[in-house]
Amino acid sequence: MLKRAESYLTEITATVIFFIIGYLFYMSLKMSGKTLLIPDSILIYNTVFVSILIEALPFVLIGVFVSGAIQVFITEDHIRRLIPKNPFLAVTSSCVIGVMFPACECGIVPIVRRLVAKGVPIYAGVGFLLTSPLINPVVIGSTYMAFGNDGKIALLRMLIGFIVAMIVAIVISFFFKHGQVRKKVTDIPVSKEMNRAPLTNRIKEACRHSIDEFFGVAKFLVMGALLAAFVQTYVSTGSLLGITEDLVTSTLIMMGLAYVLSLCSEADAFIAASFRHLFPTTTPILAFLVYGPMLDLKNTFMLMGAFKFRFVITLMFLITVTVFAIVLLIA
Amino acid sequence: MNFSIQHAIKALLLLGFTAFLFKLHYSGEILKYVNPKFIIFTQIASIILLVMFFIQVKRVWENSDNIDCAYHEQHEKQFSFGQLFVYLLVSLPLITGLLLAPKELDANFAEKRGILFQSKGNEKESGDCGQGEEPPRTALQEELIEKMLAESPIVMSKENFSSYSDVLFQNPEIFKNKQIFLEGFILKGEQLKENEYVVGRFLITHCVADATVIGILSEFKDGVTFPDNSWVKLLGTVNVANHNDKKLPLIKVTHWKLTEKPEEPYVYPPQKKKSKAN
């Protein structure tokens, strides 16, 4: 009898979980009928918070599944053979690969972390991390549309983004050679048996890694979303703007705004466009458009969870300085 | 066979998120969070989560001498307050999402955003382009102008709000003295005159976190005041105002009435081939 029950344990567990979830949802439906006395601003805070997560979820799932597949299907040997030895070449190729691989700034973090854990040099990872969310067809399309079908801003955004990514990655290559990944218990190298295991087993294994990765990323994503939604709901970003005519200050303000708003790179162009009338030139807008996809509040938490503290701080500093300098120089 | 509490919690959370997304779709509440075009992505996500749950639930009772379980035991011993905190954090959106009803963004939020009464105004004036003032219009814009000129009054609906207001902001002179009808919430900006209000709607690109306000400056009769979060329907004529040296459309309101907030208060960017990747 016990033996039999044991062989059905999984099914029983699944059923129990289904019942628990069903019960919780039933209770929540019953409760939601009652009007709780909660201020509107908290309800809006919650709505923005949940919506950031709902928006990020599909991209994060893609990210963790790619990461899981990399863990199981790509060996350290593959990477050693594929990545050029020369740092400059490695950076260039990683930036170009980033352009061809569309992702968003939260989905990309687990992928890069996994690649670096597998032996990709950290500077190559950075190039990929910075270009992938910024330079892709979706972002180009939405930027083009948001600025009244004017291709100039979209083009400049891509161009400046690529230059910044190259510079940051090259500078990083002087300071950090490899490593920098926060070790996790799941980072075991693929065993020899796994490499010869049947495909279905390997897929299953990749899925399990994806699940662990998902939970690894989720906590940082939630923390980032909590903060970003708070800023959006309670901090008056409008009061920051329009107080200065000074180009340097307004560029810095727009970069700060891009950081705290934590918009998805595929959706930030319309917001940027709506700030346009506040400035005499497009420079601060470009800074917003380039900086946001590379670095924001939401993905800072994710980066902190994936990489070592010192590295993340250096990276943030470099991105900030480079974006600022290049935008002012070019525009 | 030993029971892994961590794997069980993960399985529970995965199914919880799946159920949450299913519920949002079923009740239609999802529209209070994201653009309708984005719904397909969340649907796919909810199915992936369900599959992840079925994979995960197998691990709850798995033997620890399995090949991939070398790290599990290590894992197991770590279950602590730290871990508990992490799982609570991850389940937070689930809890608040279920207990608190989604709320539509209101005028307060719009004011925090600090978005003024023009959407993407006179872009070509941006000093650094050095082009002439009249930018060449695209065929699409010409088409829209034709269409709007043919209407009397111009009716700004939920569907055309963003594209019409775009054209209006870029070429206010063309529409001078045309009648226009629109619906939106009332926003009082600081730089406005006593009887001027911005009538606006939120434009949602992906989700409510990226909302921006499209607002049109409207001049009411003297002494008109509105309670917070009012929605109005109004009819008026288009005028051109100079605001900070920029030409803006200004609606001189002839008729208006307070109205309930519509069922679907948000507007979305115009659908175009290039706009999305799906």
Side-chain angles (χ1 to χ4, degrees):
Chain A
M1 185 64 199
L2 248 165
K3 263 265 169 295
R4 269 193 68 154
E6 227 169 70
S7 61
Y8 287 112
L9 266 178
T10 303
E11 285 79 357
I12 294 166
T13 318
T15 318
V16 169
I17 292 177
F18 262 103
F19 271 110
I20 295 174
I21 292 293
Y23 178 73
L24 289 177
F25 271 73
Y26 175 70
M27 291 305 289
S28 81
L29 282 180
K30 266 176 67 179
M31 282 192 38
S32 66
K34 299 190 181 81
T35 41
L36 299 165
L37 280 174
I38 292 173
D40 277 0
S41 69
I42 291 192
L43 291 179
I44 287 182
Y45 177 23
N46 177 54
T47 309
V48 174
F49 166 61
V50 174
S51 90
I52 291 178
L53 292 173
I54 292 180
E55 184 203 27
L57 184 66
F59 300 108
V60 170
L61 285 177
I62 295 172
V64 298
F65 273 95
V66 172
S67 160
I70 292 171
Q71 164 67 10
V72 175
F73 291 102
I74 294 182
T75 64
E76 283 77 352
D77 280 348
H78 293 146
I79 287 173
R80 233 166 282 139
R81 262 180 287 143
L82 284 172
I83 299 280
K85 290 280 169 300
N86 179 315
F88 183 75
L89 280 180
V91 165
T92 314
S93 58
S94 76
C95 285
V96 172
I97 294 170
V99 172
M100 293 186 292
F101 187 90
C104 92
E105 74 272 17
C106 36
I108 194 74
V109 176
I111 301 178
V112 171
R113 197 195 82 91
R114 179 66 65 198
L115 284 171
V116 175
K118 282 266 172 187
V120 170
I122 185 74
Y123 42 84
V126 167
F128 188 58
L129 181 80
L130 298 185
T131 53
S132 180
L134 177 60
I135 311 179
N136 65 56
V138 189
V139 177
I140 298 175
S142 71
T143 313
Y144 176 77
M145 261 185 62
F147 286 87
N149 295 343
D150 175 16
K152 191 165 155 276
I153 300 271
L155 197 74
L156 274 174
R157 182 182 193 183
M158 306 300 134
L159 189 73
I160 295 176
F162 195 83
I163 296 171
V164 169
M166 285 288 291
I167 293 174
V168 171
I170 288 168
V171 175
I172 284 281
S173 75
F174 294 131
F175 293 106
F176 302 95
K177 292 295 173 214
H178 31 194
Q180 305 309 325
V181 165
R182 244 172 225 266
K183 283 281 172 236
K184 284 191 191 155
V185 272
T186 49
D187 286 340
I188 45 159
V190 191
S191 54
K192 283 268 151 43
E193 303 94 86
M194 199 29 98
N195 266 333
R196 281 186 229 102
L199 189 65
T200 47
N201 278 18
R202 295 172 69 177
I203 291 174
K204 204 171 94 182
E205 187 54 25
C207 287
R208 294 175 164 207
H209 276 287
S210 308
I211 292 170
D212 291 334
E213 190 81 57
F214 176 70
F215 281 95
V217 172
K219 56 187 174 213
F220 298 106
L221 183 65
V222 171
M223 267 193 275
L226 260 178
L227 263 175
F230 181 85
V231 172
Q232 291 215 3
T233 323
Y234 293 105
V235 179
S236 176
T237 46
S239 62
L240 286 173
L241 295 163
I243 45 171
T244 173
E245 294 274 285
D246 180 34
L247 187 64
V248 172
T249 324
S250 51
T251 303
L252 283 173
I253 289 176
M254 283 309 276
M255 283 168 69
L257 203 60
Y259 183 79
V260 292
L261 287 180
S262 301
L263 303 163
C264 189
S265 59
E266 275 126 32
D268 59 358
F270 280 91
I271 296 241
S274 72
F275 287 131
R276 202 159 32 157
H277 59 277
L278 293 169
F279 306 110
T281 70
T282 44
T283 311
I285 303 294
L286 273 170
F288 179 94
L289 286 171
V290 175
Y291 193 60
M294 293 185 172
L295 205 62
D296 60 39
L297 198 55
K298 189 174 61 174
N299 93 335
T300 300
F301 277 91
M302 302 178 83
L303 287 171
M304 288 289 186
F307 299 102
K308 287 185 179 143
F309 182 77
R310 211 169 67 90
F311 169 73
V312 179
I313 293 293
T314 317
L315 181 66
M316 289 171 68
F317 175 77
L318 275 176
I319 294 174
T320 310
V321 171
T322 319
V323 170
F324 182 70
I326 298 291
V327 164
L328 284 184
L329 215 74
I330 289 189
Chain B
M1 290 294 205
N2 40 34
F3 178 75
S4 156
I5 178 79
Q6 289 221 40
H7 283 316
I9 293 174
K10 284 182 182 176
L12 193 73
L13 282 173
L14 285 172
L15 192 66
F17 283 119
T18 312
F20 181 51
L21 290 179
F22 274 49
K23 186 209 155 201
L24 288 184
H25 285 119
Y26 182 75
S27 63
E29 276 177 349
I30 189 86
L31 283 176
K32 293 186 178 174
Y33 294 106
V34 298
N35 183 322
K37 271 199 285 179
F38 200 77
I39 286 181
I40 179 77
F41 293 112
T42 53
Q43 278 169 339
I44 295 170
S46 64
I47 290 164
I48 293 176
L49 284 171
L50 187 63
V51 174
M52 282 163 80
F53 163 73
F54 282 117
I55 295 165
Q56 177 65 23
V57 82
K58 283 195 182 149
R59 300 164 84 183
V60 176
W61 290 95
E62 207 152 62
N63 281 329
S64 46
D65 49 61
N66 230 318
I67 22 162
D68 61 305
C69 287
Y71 55 87
H72 284 185
E73 280 178 72
Q74 238 180 316
H75 228 170
E76 223 55 32
K77 283 181 197 127
Q78 286 176 355
F79 197 78
S80 58
F81 279 112
Q83 291 277 331
L84 189 70
F85 172 74
V86 163
Y87 288 117
L88 273 178
L89 191 68
V90 175
S91 55
L92 184 69
L94 208 54
I95 298 164
T96 63
L98 279 176
L99 288 182
L100 305 178
K103 173 101 177 82
E104 271 122 6
L105 306 180
D106 55 18
N108 269 333
F109 190 88
E111 269 160 35
K112 289 264 164 48
R113 271 289 157 89
I115 284 153
L116 300 178
F117 36 88
Q118 58 192 126
S119 66
K120 26 189 130 132
N122 326 354
E123 86 234 41
K124 304 283 151 56
E125 285 187 10
S126 322
D128 60 338
C129 332
Q131 296 171 353
E133 281 134 53
E134 271 303 291
R137 294 190 200 106
T138 62
L140 212 99
Q141 279 174 311
E142 292 287 1
E143 208 177 288
L144 264 173
I145 291 174
E146 293 284 307
K147 196 167 161 240
M148 285 167 72
L149 284 175
E151 284 179 29
S152 187
I154 301 167
V155 178
M156 308 264 288
S157 68
K158 181 177 148 48
E159 285 72 30
N160 65 24
F161 201 97
S162 67
S163 52
Y164 273 26
S165 58
D166 229 34
V167 173
L168 193 61
F169 280 119
Q170 281 173 26
N171 325 278
E173 286 103 338
I174 299 182
F175 299 98
K176 201 166 178 182
N177 296 329
K178 282 282 292 182
Q179 275 213 314
I180 189 163
F181 170 84
L182 72 132
E183 182 179 4
F185 61 83
I186 292 282
L187 193 64
K188 180 82 188 164
E190 284 157 28
Q191 312 170 10
L192 303 182
K193 289 187 207 118
E194 200 50 24
N195 59 340
E196 281 180 358
Y197 291 90
V198 170
V199 178
R201 298 189 78 154
F202 279 106
L203 175 81
I204 308 288
T205 309
H206 274 187
C207 70
V208 295
D210 60 46
T212 68
V213 180
I214 304 180
I216 299 178
L217 196 57
S218 308
E219 186 189 298
F220 290 80
K221 290 210 180 67
D222 286 336
V224 175
T225 53
F226 295 96
D228 279 355
N229 289 319
S230 309
W231 277 75
V232 290
K233 282 184 177 158
L234 64 82
L235 188 69
T237 46
V238 179
N239 256 298
V240 182
N242 272 314
H243 221 285
N244 299 341
D245 299 329
K246 279 177 189 166
K247 286 205 171 89
L248 274 183
L250 168 79
I251 298 178
K252 288 220 192 272
V253 180
T254 48
H255 303 276
W256 63 273
K257 66 167 188 188
L258 282 176
T259 171
E260 284 289 299
K261 182 168 72 179
E263 196 78 337
E264 289 174 20
Y266 300 137
V267 299
Y268 307 102
Q271 312 244 355
K272 253 183 267 172
K273 326 97 215 175
K274 270 187 184 168
S275 62
K276 286 275 138 67
N278 44 11

